[in-house]
Amino acid sequence: MNEMYNVSSNPHVRDKMSTNRLMQLVVIALLPATVFGIWNFGIHALLVVVVTVAASVFFEWLYDHFMHKSNTITDFSAVVTGLLLALNMPPEIPLWMPVLGSAFAIIVVKQLFGGLGQNFMNPALAARCFLLISFAGSMTDFSVAKGAHAVVDSVSGATPLAAMKEYGGLGDIHVSQMFIGNIQGTIGETSVIAILIGAVILLAFKVINLRIPLMYIGTFTVFVCIYMVASGMGFDWNYLAAHLCGGGLMLGAWFMATDYVTSPITQKGQLVFGFVLGILTAIFRLFGGSAEGVSYAIIISNLLVPLIEKVTLPTAFGKGGKKNEK
């Protein structure tokens, strides 16, 4: 027989879900949080989203062009990176900063390490942390623009978590407002309802599973409960709910911690990953100098993924057993 066979490396079982289809579903799932953020904060938030996404796509094309690589902007991964970065930006940030962040995310974190599938940490969060370190003042200025719908806290420019950490209370803001999203914060993190609608979309299309988000949120919840009891404040539902609804916990748990490239592939590894995320986020929030800790918790946990996978990798069939001795 002279038949020609296609020889390729494993795995040989292919999923019908293509990369661009996967990324398109993530974009669709992010739309509720994006639309609410624009409605909540106004026209400048829209400009931040448009400019950041456009800049990410541009830098992807630019790198491919000058490196003589195949154009990868059609896989929508740059769109997802740009949108996630935009949703992690303060609504009134100068537009050149997210453009700089887009360049860092696409060129430094993603492309210089081999492109999609090779980056060692989430590009959008790496860019946010880069901007936080470089421009801390602008990245933590959450003053609400005139005409925006967000409820202004008694402490000018302070998010509910920052006010709670600094003054021990939420001021004039109630947990119900945090759940709906009428508060200060980054463009895409304020509305828990909008984020959960997006999470349902991801789950319905089987883009993600529940292991990492539930372990992350569950571990964080248990840690905060232990902290409340151990610190003498007693169990306070409002305190716990504010931590769950405030900051980037929900956006990070459902949309960034579940990133295929930077999270473990093993089931046990995903549970360990979620556990580490919950512990780190709680430590950074409760004992750190900042009121937020999700971004740093995720990128640090990204660095631990190779070790987590090594420890939780299942033993191959036929290996690891003891030989019978006569």
Side-chain angles (χ1 to χ4, degrees), residues 170 172-183 190-193 237-238 241-242 245:
L170 291 171
D172 297 329
I173 298 177
H174 301 287
V175 173
S176 60
Q177 293 171 336
M178 298 178 69
F179 187 75
I180 295 170
N182 294 326
I183 58 172
T190 57
S191 177
V192 176
I193 293 177
W237 166 250
N238 284 330
C245 295

Side-chain angles (χ1 to χ4, degrees), residues 17-237:
M17 182 77 76
S18 61
T19 300
N20 60 341
R21 174 61 175 165
L22 190 72
M23 296 298 170
Q24 289 169 7
L25 288 172
V26 175
V27 171
I28 292 171
L30 285 169
L31 286 180
T34 304
V35 172
F36 184 90
I38 293 169
W39 176 84
N40 200 30
F41 296 112
I43 189 66
H44 197 273
L46 173 61
L47 291 176
V48 172
V49 171
V50 172
V51 168
T52 310
V53 173
S56 296
V57 173
F58 171 73
F59 287 121
E60 179 101 344
W61 172 86
L62 192 68
Y63 185 90
D64 289 340
H65 177 73
F66 283 102
M67 294 295 106
H68 306 289
K69 297 175 62 178
S70 299
N71 194 304
T72 56
I73 62 174
T74 56
D75 65 13
F76 274 76
S77 62
V79 175
V80 171
T81 296
L83 187 54
L84 283 172
L85 178 59
L87 296 182
N88 278 280
M89 293 291 103
E92 290 298 304
I93 193 169
L95 294 178
W96 65 267
M97 288 187 186
V99 171
L100 178 62
S102 298
F104 184 84
I106 297 297
I107 296 177
V108 177
V109 182
K110 180 182 176 183
Q111 293 292 4
L112 290 183
F113 285 88
L116 181 64
Q118 305 298 320
N119 48 284
F120 64 100
M121 65 173 62
N122 186 287
L125 284 183
R128 186 194 185 192
C129 292
F130 164 71
L131 293 175
L132 275 169
I133 294 170
S134 303
F135 312 103
S138 296
M139 287 293 293
T140 55
D141 182 9
F142 296 103
S143 299
V144 182
K146 183 179 181 181
H149 300 282
V151 175
V152 179
D153 189 76
S154 56
V155 184
S156 178
T159 64
L161 286 183
M164 187 166 60
K165 187 176 184 67
E166 185 72 19
Y167 300 98
L170 291 171
D172 297 329
I173 298 177
H174 301 287
V175 173
S176 60
Q177 293 171 336
M178 298 178 69
F179 187 75
I180 295 170
N182 294 326
I183 58 172
Q184 294 165 304
T186 67
I187 295 171
E189 74 180 13
T190 57
S191 177
V192 176
I193 293 177
I195 293 170
L196 291 180
I197 292 173
V200 170
I201 294 173
L202 294 180
L203 292 169
F205 285 94
K206 299 182 180 180
V207 176
I208 65 171
N209 60 62
L210 291 169
R211 280 188 289 273
I212 292 175
L214 290 190
M215 179 60 78
Y216 184 1
I217 297 171
T219 301
F220 177 81
T221 300
V222 172
F223 195 108
V224 173
C225 290
I226 294 173
Y227 171 79
M228 287 190 293
V229 175
S231 63
M233 72 169 64
F235 182 81
D236 185 343
W237 166 250

